[in-house]
Amino acid sequence: MDIIFYHPTFDAAWWLNALTTALPGARVREWQPGDNEHADYALVWHPPVEMLHGRELKAVFALGAGVDSILSKLKANPEMLPEHIPLFRLEDTGMGQQMQEYAVSQVLHWFRRFDDYQALKQQARWEPLPEYQHDEFTIGILGAGVLGSKVAEALRPWGFPLRCWSRSRKAWPGVESFAGKEELPAFLNNTRVLINLLPNTPETVGIINQTLINQLADNSYLLNLARGVHLNEEDLLSALESGKLKGAMLDVFSREPLPAESPLWAHPRVAMTPHVAAVTRPPEAVDYIAHTIGQLEAGNAVSGQVDRARGY
């Protein structure tokens, strides 16, 4: 079994050693330009077209939860990866727990009004504030995939009303499910905290805009953990200025790194992190890839394959 590996920033030596250990007998190499030798599997992140073009691979693994970079290249270069070659993404591999930590910590930060107390601190004001009530702090999760389910699971014990929205209806304990465009307004109505975990597809680009934000509860909050292209940043700033949104926590942006001239940097009610909400954890990723390759080699059914038409 021959495996080729490419990632522009990962430590290739570590990955080659870990994969060789996890898949005894496999020949694992780092792909270099000009390498046209045989390969059965490819492990990639932002791969050059020439790496995959013309290869009859058994499968390709994207080294992350998102596959939009590969799919965007396929639009311009469909010959890079024929339809019959399956493409897999990392379903969890530690990302679920990271998303849970991020979402729970931020929701509680807003619920306990720590943002307001920080603003009062800047004014040297000692002023206890009225508490928010759980039943008036509805949390809506846009996107009900693996990561969305993990976030809902972590938030459920805290007693907030929970709801999710996706293409198809879900049956998660303690979570009200909405599905399809026709149910989006009902999902947004009275939602106080909107958590975005949608996949990046043509249908979801720009979905968080003025029209959507205006359907949320007044003084609501936005937590964007998915992709920057989902959010119209100008509409976000307008909603913050009008008071429709009380605050936003952003981990992803339309341009990354975020340009120094972006007004988001200086806005007092926008908190940010540099796309670190959930990163690939190499040991868990290697375990998942080794297990999945083993199942594929045995002819067994596996999960995690990308539906190219849907984009995830």
Side-chain angles (χ1 to χ4, degrees):
M1 182 196 309
D2 293 290
I3 300 172
I4 50 177
F5 172 92
Y6 175 83
H7 195 293
T9 61
F10 279 1
D11 180 352
W14 184 95
W15 278 82
L16 299 187
N17 180 67
L19 288 162
T20 300
T21 301
L23 291 164
R27 294 174 295 276
V28 189
R29 68 182 187 272
E30 182 181 12
W31 180 85
Q32 302 287 350
D35 177 353
N36 296 313
E37 295 183 19
H38 171 77
D40 297 295
Y41 297 95
L43 281 52
V44 301
W45 189 250
H46 296 285
V49 173
E50 63 174 305
M51 178 186 180
L52 302 179
H53 181 259
R55 293 186 183 274
E56 276 301 317
L57 297 161
K58 294 181 180 180
V60 173
F61 289 84
L63 296 172
V67 292
D68 34 303
S69 67
I70 295 178
L71 296 180
S72 64
K73 282 192 176 182
L74 279 173
K75 287 183 180 179
N77 305 276
E79 73 284 355
M80 182 177 81
L81 193 64
E83 285 283 349
H84 69 274
I85 298 177
L87 171 64
F88 291 88
R89 59 185 175 86
L90 301 184
E91 285 191 294
D92 189 339
T93 62
M95 295 183 191
Q97 180 179 346
Q98 294 174 74
M99 285 294 190
Q100 288 178 325
E101 294 165 350
Y102 198 116
V104 171
S105 65
Q106 188 58 42
V107 167
L108 294 179
H109 179 90
W110 285 325
F111 180 69
R112 291 301 306 269
R113 306 194 65 170
F114 293 153
D115 55 334
D116 293 322
Y117 284 119
Q118 181 64 19
L120 291 173
K121 173 184 176 292
Q122 301 302 321
Q123 304 171 47
R125 289 173 56 191
W126 181 283
E127 183 180 338
L129 298 171
E131 294 183 347
Y132 289 148
Q133 302 302 310
H134 286 81
D135 60 359
E136 297 176 353
F137 213 76
T138 297
I139 300 169
I141 301 170
L142 275 176
V146 172
L147 297 179
S149 69
K150 291 288 187 179
V151 167
E153 176 186 314
L155 286 168
R156 194 168 62 244
W158 294 96
F160 301 110
L162 294 175
R163 54 179 61 166
C164 68
W165 179 82
S166 57
R167 288 168 57 100
S168 58
R169 201 171 307 284
K170 306 302 178 184
W172 297 347
V175 181
E176 186 179 8
S177 177
F178 298 81
K181 290 182 179 180
E182 65 280 0
E183 295 187 8
L184 182 57
F187 163 81
L188 297 168
N189 184 43
N190 288 324
T191 290
R192 187 70 184 277
V193 178
L194 184 66
I195 301 176
N196 179 37
L197 286 166
L198 286 168
N200 181 10
T201 69
E203 293 77 22
T204 63
V205 170
I207 189 172
I208 306 175
N209 51 32
Q210 183 179 25
T211 300
L212 182 145
I213 292 170
N214 284 343
Q215 297 176 72
L216 296 169
D218 290 339
N219 294 309
S220 54
Y221 300 91
L222 171 66
L223 177 56
N224 191 10
L225 300 175
R227 286 291 185 267
V229 296
H230 291 140
L231 173 63
N232 184 310
E233 292 173 0
E234 290 186 3
D235 288 356
L236 166 68
L237 290 167
S238 295
L240 288 166
E241 292 307 309
S242 71
K244 181 65 179 181
L245 281 181
K246 190 174 180 188
M249 181 76 191
L250 310 177
D251 182 60
V252 289
F253 305 88
S254 57
R255 289 178 60 192
E256 295 181 1
L258 185 66
E261 63 272 17
S262 170
L264 294 171
W265 286 109
H267 200 288
R269 286 183 285 126
V270 175
M272 303 187 302
T273 49
H275 205 148
V276 295
V279 299
T280 299
R281 288 178 170 167
E284 289 92 334
V286 168
D287 288 345
Y288 167 78
I289 292 166
H291 172 77
T292 303
I293 287 177
Q295 294 298 304
L296 290 170
E297 290 290 304
N300 297 329
V302 295
S303 62
Q305 184 171 344
V306 173
D307 183 328
R308 298 194 197 182
R310 290 187 176 184
Y312 58 93

